[in-house]
Every structure is written in C-alpha cells, then in structure tokens.
Amino acid sequence: MSMKVKIRQVDDVTILDLSGRITLGEGSVTLRDSVRDLVAKGTKHILLNLGDISYIDSSGIGELVSAFTSVKNSGGELKLLNLTKKVHDLLQITKLYTIFDIWDNETSAITAFG
C-alpha cells in the first residue's frame, strides 16, 4: 500500500493527513515532494498527521528529519500529530522523539504554532 496525502488548511496551519507507509521509494518521495512544495509556496506552519501511517522504515525516518530541517531552515515550524504506537516507539529508539514537536490533539497542536 502506497502513502496517500490529503492537504487541508486550518487558520494559518497546513495539515497533511498521511496514510499508508512511509518507506524507501514512493512513500518517502511523496512526503518529500509535498513538504517541498509547501515550503516553496512560503508555508510556515506544517502539521503532519501520522495517525493512519501503518509503517515507517529508515528511509521514512530520514524523510521526516529532512522535512523538519527544510521547514525550519525556511523559518517555519513542522509538528507531528497522532503518532501510532509503532511510530512513537521508533522515534524513541532512534532518539528523534526529543527533536520533533509531537502532539496528540489537533486543536492544541494548531494553537501551539507561533
């Protein structure tokens, strides 16, 4: 199953509802292209909703870090929403949990953007 992205806007926050798998190849490329397009358009507040992500491999983790870095370098913020237990554990193991701003509640996450 490939990854799908639905983009929606709430106030000045762009939410990417991701579903499927973020893996080497199509999934990571889809994520990279989606974030890159938003950054190129000047989007500063991006929220990645990972609630329907069933699996992330090392390439997918790399893409999350890359997305975080490119948004930050453009003066924006990227936050993660609704991590599944599998994704949460993976970020803990890789010590990336402390790098990302992670939320369980969409309204709170939106409010947290500067």
Side-chain angles (χ1 to χ4, degrees), residues 59-102:
S59 170
I61 291 288
E63 258 339 298
L64 286 177
V65 172
S66 174
F68 177 81
T69 306
S70 63
V71 172
K72 196 173 184 80
N73 288 344
S74 72
E77 287 181 90
L78 181 134
K79 298 182 189 303
L80 303 181
L81 176 67
N82 295 330
L83 299 188
T84 61
K85 179 171 177 4
K86 224 183 254 183
V87 174
H88 178 279
D89 292 348
L90 195 55
L91 290 180
Q92 291 277 41
I93 291 166
T94 56
K95 305 275 192 272
L96 292 170
Y97 194 81
T98 55
I99 292 170
F100 291 105
D101 196 354
I102 298 171

Side-chain angles (χ1 to χ4, degrees), residues 2-93:
S2 62
M3 191 186 85
K4 294 187 175 32
V5 180
K6 274 192 251 158
I7 299 177
R8 57 195 170 94
Q9 194 75 28
V10 177
D11 299 327
D12 66 341
V13 177
T14 304
I15 302 168
L16 280 69
D17 293 312
L18 309 177
S19 60
R21 300 160 58 97
I22 306 175
T23 55
L24 181 64
E26 192 179 333
S28 59
V29 170
T30 305
L31 176 60
R32 180 184 321 137
D33 291 347
S34 300
V35 172
R36 195 177 285 156
D37 288 349
L38 291 170
V39 169
K41 290 177 187 160
T43 303
K44 295 291 184 211
H45 299 142
I46 299 174
L47 184 60
L48 298 181
N49 181 357
L50 304 177
D52 289 329
I53 290 295
S54 57
Y55 179 76
I56 296 183
D57 67 3
S58 58
S59 170
I61 291 288
E63 258 339 298
L64 286 177
V65 172
S66 174
F68 177 81
T69 306
S70 63
V71 172
K72 196 173 184 80
N73 288 344
S74 72
E77 287 181 90
L78 181 134
K79 298 182 189 303
L80 303 181
L81 176 67
N82 295 330
L83 299 188
T84 61
K85 179 171 177 4
K86 224 183 254 183
V87 174
H88 178 279
D89 292 348
L90 195 55
L91 290 180
Q92 291 277 41
I93 291 166

